[in-house]
C-alpha cells in the first residue's frame, strides 16, 4: 500500500531523531506526521501572551485522514510509559512520569489530595477555656485550630466512624490538652504558649466517658505501639496569660480530604509539564553572545566573535531562567531563535506529605484507589448485558 | 444550612444503582450512563479513554449539579461496538494502565532501595 511505503523512510529518520531527542515525548506513533503536526500533537508552545496547542489531542480518529492509527494499545502504552524517581528526601518526593495523558496525572493528584484518609481531631470536649481564643459553637477558633494539627498515626489501623456509631478503640483516638499559665516567683511566665506537643495521647480512652459516651473496651497501646502524637511539636495553638487555662479532650476520627481539608494527607501535591527550550534557528555572532549572557547555563556559548554559537544546556537544572527565556522569545530581536515549549505527556510530579503517610505510600494508595474506582463502575455495569442494546 | 451531609458524596444509598443506562431514542448506537457518587476524578479519565477507542464517535461527561453527586457520561459509537461495550473496555483498559503504573513505580522504589541504600527515613 502506498501509505506504508511512505511510512518506512520517515520512520527510520524519526527513530533516529527520537533517540537523539532524549527528553522528547515518549508516546510515539509510527511518526508519519509532518513536523508541524507532530509539534502540535506533542508540545505546548509557550508564548508571551498565550500558549498554543494546550489541548491533549489523543482521540483515536485524530489523525485518521493521515493514515495514523492513534487508538489505545496496551502494548504500546507499556513500552512508552516510564517512571523515574528523581528526589526523595524525608517527606518530599519528586518523580517524573512519561507516557501518560494528563487525565491520569490529574486523577492521581485529585485522589491524593481528597480521597486518601488520615486521622484528625473532629470532636473537642472543652472542660475549661479561659484563654482569649474563642470556643463557642459559632466561632470555635480553638477547635478549628486543633482540627488542622496533623497527627502522626497510620490511618489504615483505624476504621471509619459513621455519625450513628459509638466511639470505640477501633475508630477514635483520644488526645488531651491541659495547660495552665502561671506566674513564677522570679517574674517569668510558665506555659504562656500552648504548643502541639502539649497534646497527650490517652490510649485508655476518654477520661470523661459519661459526657463523651466514649468507652474503650481495651487499650490502644497494642494497636499503635509507636504512640500517637502530632507530626510537629512546635505548632502554636494558643497563647495564655497568668491565670488562664485550657483543659479539653479531643476525639480524632478517620476522614478524607473531600469532607474537610484537615483530613488531606498532603501539604500539597502537584505536577507540571516538562519544559523544553527549542532553538528555531541557530543564532550566530553577537546575538548568540547576547543570548548566552542573558541565559547563563541554560544556553552554553561556544566559539566567540563571528563564530559564536549556542547550545541548550540542562533545562531542569536552570529552571528559573525559563520564564526569562519565554519573555525573550517575545522580543523582536530574539523571537526567530528561541521558543519555550512543554512536553504534553511528560510530568514532573511532586508530593509533599503532611507527615502521616510517606510520599511513596501515598502514590501507591492513590493508584489502588483509582483501580478500585474503575472496578466499582465496572461492577455497576455488569447489570447490563453487553450485547443488548 | 441546606448543604447535604458530606458523607453523601461517596456512599451510594440503598436501592439506588451505581450505574444506570438509558439508550438514546433519537440517535442510533448512543446512550447515557448515569453513575452515582463519582466526580471528575473518574469522569475525565473515562471520557479520555473513550476518545482513544476507534469505534467511539462521541464521548462526553458532565456533572449536572455540584450538589447532586452523580455524573452523566454520553457515548455514541459507530455500530461496531455498543456503547456499553465501549465503556466496558475503556474501564478495563484504564485498570490495566493503572496496574502498569503501579508495577513500574514499585520497580523504581526497589531500585531506590537497592541502589541508594534504602528509602529515606521520615524527618519526624
Amino acid at each position: 500500500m502506498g501509505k506504508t511505503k511512505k511510512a518506512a523512510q520517515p520512520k527510520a529518520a524519526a527513530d533516529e531523531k527520537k533517540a537523539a531527542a532524549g527528553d522528547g515525548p515518549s508516546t510515539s506513533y509510527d511518526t508519519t506526521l509532518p513536523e508541524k503536526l507532530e509539534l502540535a500533537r506533542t508540545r505546548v508552545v509557550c508564548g508571551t501572551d498565550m500558549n498554543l496547542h494546550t489541548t491533549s489531542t489523543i482521540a483515536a480518529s485524530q489523525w485518521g485522514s493521515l493514515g495514523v492509527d492513534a487508538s489505545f494499545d496496551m502494548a504500546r502504552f507499556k513500552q512508552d510509559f516510564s517512571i523515574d524517581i528523581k528526589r526523595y528526601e524525608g517527606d518530599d518526593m519528586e518523580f517524573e512520569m512519561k507516557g501518560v495523558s494528563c487525565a491520569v496525572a490529574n486523577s492521581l493528584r485529585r485522589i491524593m489530595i481528597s480521597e486518601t484518609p488520615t486521622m484528625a481531631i473532629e470532636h473537642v470536649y472543652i472542660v475549661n477555656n479561659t484563654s482569649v481564643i474563642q470556643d463557642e459553637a459559632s466561632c470555635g477558633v480553638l477547635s478549628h485550630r486543633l482540627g488542622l494539627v496533623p497527627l502522626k498515626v497510620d490511618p489504615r489501623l483505624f476504621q471509619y466512624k459513621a455519625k450513628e456509631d459509638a466511639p470505640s478503640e477501633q475508630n477514635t483516638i483520644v488526645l488531651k490538652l491541659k495547660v495552665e499559665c502561671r506566674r513564677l516567683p522570679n517574674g517569668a511566665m510558665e506555659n504562656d504558649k500552648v504548643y502541639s506537643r502539649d497534646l497527650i495521647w490517652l490510649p485508655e480512652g476518654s477520661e470523661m466517658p459519661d459526657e463523651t459516651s466514649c468507652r474503650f473496651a481495651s487499650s490502644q497501646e497494642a494497636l499503635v505501639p509507636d504512640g500517637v502524637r502530632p507530626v510537629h511539636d512546635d505548632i502554636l495553638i494558643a497563647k495564655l496569660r497568668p491565670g488562664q487555662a485550657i483543659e479539653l479532650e479531643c476525639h480524632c476520627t478517620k476522614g478524607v480530604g473531600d469532607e474537610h481539608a484537615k483530613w488531606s494527607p498532603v501539604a500539597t501535591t502537584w505536577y507540571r509539564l516538562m519544559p523544553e527550550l527549542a532553538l528555531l534557528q541557530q543564532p550566530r555572532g553577537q546575538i548568540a553572545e547576547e543570548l548566552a549572557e542573558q541565559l547563563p547555563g541554560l544556553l552554553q556559548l561556544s566559539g566567540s566573535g563571528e563564530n559564536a554559537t549556542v547550545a541548550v544546556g540542562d533545562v531542569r537544572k536552570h529552571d528559573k531562567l525559563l520564564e526569562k527565556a519565554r519573555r525573550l522569545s517575545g522580543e523582536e530581536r530574539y523571537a526567530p531563535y528561541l521558543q519555550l515549549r512543554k512536553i504534553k505527556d511528560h510530568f514532573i510530579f511532586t508530593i509533599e506529605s503532611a507527615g502521616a503517610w510517606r510520599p511513596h505510600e501515598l502514590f501507591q494508595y492513590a493508584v489502588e484507589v483509582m483501580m478500585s474506582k474503575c472496578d466499582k463502575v465496572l461492577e455497576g455495569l455488569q447489570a447490563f448485558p453487553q450485547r443488548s442494546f | 444550612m441546606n448543604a447535604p451531609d458530606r458523607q453523601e458524596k461517596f456512599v451510594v444509598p440503598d436501592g439506588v444503582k451505581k450505574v444506570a443506562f438509558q439508550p438514546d431514542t433519537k440517535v442510533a448506537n448512543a446512550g447515557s450512563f448515569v453513575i452515582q457518587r463519582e466526580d471528575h476524578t473518574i469522569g475525565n479519565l473515562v471520557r479520555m479513554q473513550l476518545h482513544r477507542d476507534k469505534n467511539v464517535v462521541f464521548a462526553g461527561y458532565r456533572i449536572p449539579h455540584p450538589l447532586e453527586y452523580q455524573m452523566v457520561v454520553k457515548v455514541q459509537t459507530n455500530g461496531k461496538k455498543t456503547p456499553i461495550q465501549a465503556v466496558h473496555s475503556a474501564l478495563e483498559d484504564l485498570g490495566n494502565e493503572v496496574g502498569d503504573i503501579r508495577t513500574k513505580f514499585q520497580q523504581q522504589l526497589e531500585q531506590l532501595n537497592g541502589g541508594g541504600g534504602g528509602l529515606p527515613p521520615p524527618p519526624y
Side-chain angles (χ1 to χ4, degrees):
Chain A
M1 265 200 315
K3 284 225 170 90
T4 45
K5 255 205 202 148
K6 227 183 1 177
Q9 238 186 347
K11 184 178 190 225
D15 273 349
E16 238 176 51
K17 230 182 7 173
K18 185 184 173 193
D23 265 334
S26 45
T27 39
S28 55
Y29 300 119
D30 308 317
T31 41
T32 47
L33 287 176
E35 210 177 302
K36 271 214 169 121
L37 287 182
E38 186 70 8
L39 177 71
R41 179 179 77 85
T42 58
R43 302 287 201 277
V44 172
V45 173
C46 305
T48 41
D49 50 355
M50 57 186 264
N51 297 336
L52 303 172
H53 316 133
T54 49
T55 53
S56 12
T57 53
I58 46 171
S61 53
Q62 187 79 29
W63 311 112
S65 52
L66 288 167
V68 176
D69 180 9
S71 54
F72 178 72
D73 180 29
M74 191 64 205
R76 189 163 56 202
F77 172 78
K78 279 201 170 139
Q79 197 191 344
D80 290 337
F81 175 71
S82 72
I83 285 193
D84 196 12
I85 300 182
K86 283 282 190 265
R87 187 171 62 90
Y88 192 161
E89 291 155 3
D91 273 340
D92 283 347
M93 182 164 91
E94 190 178 299
F95 63 94
E96 292 184 14
M97 272 210 298
K98 278 195 213 185
V100 270
S101 66
C102 68
V104 173
N106 193 36
S107 291
L108 287 170
R109 182 192 64 92
R110 282 174 68 98
I111 293 174
M112 276 192 276
I113 290 178
S114 69
E115 303 200 29
T116 308
T118 45
M119 304 293 290
I121 295 174
E122 169 77 350
H123 299 288
V124 177
Y125 298 95
I126 301 180
V127 174
N128 179 17
N129 178 19
T130 42
S131 74
V132 290
I133 315 281
Q134 290 152 318
D135 68 343
E136 287 90 18
S138 58
C139 34
V141 176
L142 183 59
S143 308
H144 183 249
R145 290 177 71 80
L146 285 168
L148 291 170
V149 170
L151 298 173
K152 189 162 184 58
V153 55
D154 186 354
R156 290 169 286 190
L157 299 169
F158 293 88
Q159 294 163 359
Y160 286 98
K161 173 184 164 320
K163 270 214 171 77
E164 54 276 6
D165 288 346
S168 75
E169 71 275 8
Q170 308 279 358
N171 57 28
T172 309
I173 294 177
V174 182
L175 300 169
K176 176 176 158 164
L177 182 66
K178 183 173 177 174
V179 182
E180 190 187 330
C181 181
R182 300 180 301 129
R183 191 174 284 283
L184 293 171
N186 63 359
M189 279 190 285
E190 186 194 24
N191 288 341
D192 61 332
K193 292 190 181 143
V194 180
Y195 288 102
S196 52
R197 55 171 165 263
D198 298 324
L199 281 165
I200 299 166
W201 179 41
L202 302 175
E204 307 295 330
S206 172
E207 287 178 347
M208 343 176 252
D210 295 323
E211 285 97 328
T212 61
S213 65
C214 166
R215 289 178 173 80
F216 282 11
S218 56
S219 166
Q220 283 177 326
E221 295 258 358
L223 190 61
V224 194
D226 291 332
V228 175
R229 55 178 180 81
V231 176
H232 305 264
D233 279 336
D234 51 356
I235 299 177
L236 181 64
I237 296 177
K239 285 187 179 177
L240 301 173
R241 281 289 172 269
Q244 294 176 345
I246 296 181
E247 186 179 343
L248 46 80
E249 201 174 271
C250 312
H251 289 210
C252 318
T253 51
K254 183 168 168 179
V256 289
D258 233 357
E259 207 178 319
H260 192 286
K262 70 189 178 194
W263 276 301
S264 183
V266 286
T268 191
T269 169
W270 73 94
Y271 62 83
R272 59 191 179 99
L273 296 175
M274 181 71 168
E276 181 189 52
L277 188 63
L279 287 175
L280 298 171
Q281 43 171 309
Q282 176 63 248
R284 296 201 179 278
Q286 199 194 0
I287 292 197
E289 287 184 341
E290 282 174 19
L291 277 175
E293 197 188 356
Q294 297 263 17
L295 303 168
L298 188 54
L299 286 178
Q300 285 153 353
L301 188 66
S302 51
S304 63
E306 285 284 307
N307 302 327
T309 54
V310 287
V312 179
D314 187 350
V315 175
R316 287 294 302 280
K317 217 164 122 199
H318 304 281
D319 250 344
K320 298 195 169 55
L321 289 171
L322 287 171
E323 287 303 310
K324 187 173 185 189
R326 184 201 287 242
R327 180 173 56 82
L328 288 174
S329 70
E331 284 177 20
E332 220 180 289
R333 187 169 167 75
Y334 305 119
Y337 303 102
L338 281 183
Q339 195 176 62
L340 180 66
R341 297 176 186 163
K342 310 253 175 167
I343 306 176
K344 281 191 208 178
D345 62 355
H346 187 163
F347 301 94
I348 303 169
F349 230 107
T350 313
I351 304 178
E352 287 181 5
S353 165
W357 293 73
R358 306 297 327 282
H360 70 272
E361 289 174 354
L362 273 171
F363 189 76
Q364 285 167 327
Y365 187 82
V367 167
E368 298 290 333
V369 169
M370 197 141 108
M371 289 186 77
S372 79
K373 272 182 187 276
C374 292
D375 287 337
K376 257 193 264 179
V377 182
L378 262 176
E379 211 183 289
L381 261 186
Q382 302 299 1
F384 307 99
Q386 291 245 6
R387 291 261 156 237
S388 87
F389 190 74
Chain B
M1 194 174 72
N2 284 330
D5 192 11
R6 280 296 202 159
Q7 293 278 337
E8 301 212 359
K9 239 185 163 178
F10 23 92
V11 176
V12 184
D14 293 326
V16 178
K17 287 207 191 124
K18 178 85 180 172
V19 180
F21 175 66
Q22 277 146 354
D24 195 324
T25 46
K26 296 178 208 154
V27 182
N29 298 320
S32 304
F33 296 82
V34 181
I35 306 178
Q36 297 286 338
R37 305 303 184 264
E38 292 293 349
D39 60 355
H40 303 280
T41 306
I42 204 118
N44 198 26
L45 220 43
V46 168
R47 179 198 62 93
M48 176 220 68
Q49 194 63 24
L50 282 167
H51 278 158
R52 285 175 154 178
D53 189 341
K54 267 189 295 205
N55 298 314
V56 167
V57 169
F58 176 90
Y61 86 101
R62 68 194 165 114
I63 296 179
H65 194 282
L67 290 178
E68 285 172 16
Y69 304 118
Q70 64 191 25
M71 170 182 96
V72 178
V73 180
K74 186 162 175 193
V75 184
Q76 185 188 352
T77 57
N78 63 0
K80 298 203 180 107
K81 262 188 181 175
T82 66
I84 298 176
Q85 284 172 330
V87 173
H88 192 98
S89 55
L91 286 166
E92 283 191 347
D93 282 338
L94 273 177
N96 293 335
E97 219 179 296
V98 175
D100 192 46
I101 296 181
R102 175 175 59 181
T103 328
K104 296 223 166 103
F105 187 71
Q106 193 58 38
Q107 285 171 355
Q108 270 294 305
L109 272 183
E110 276 156 24
Q111 274 190 15
L112 212 61
N113 249 330
L119 294 169
Y124 306 107

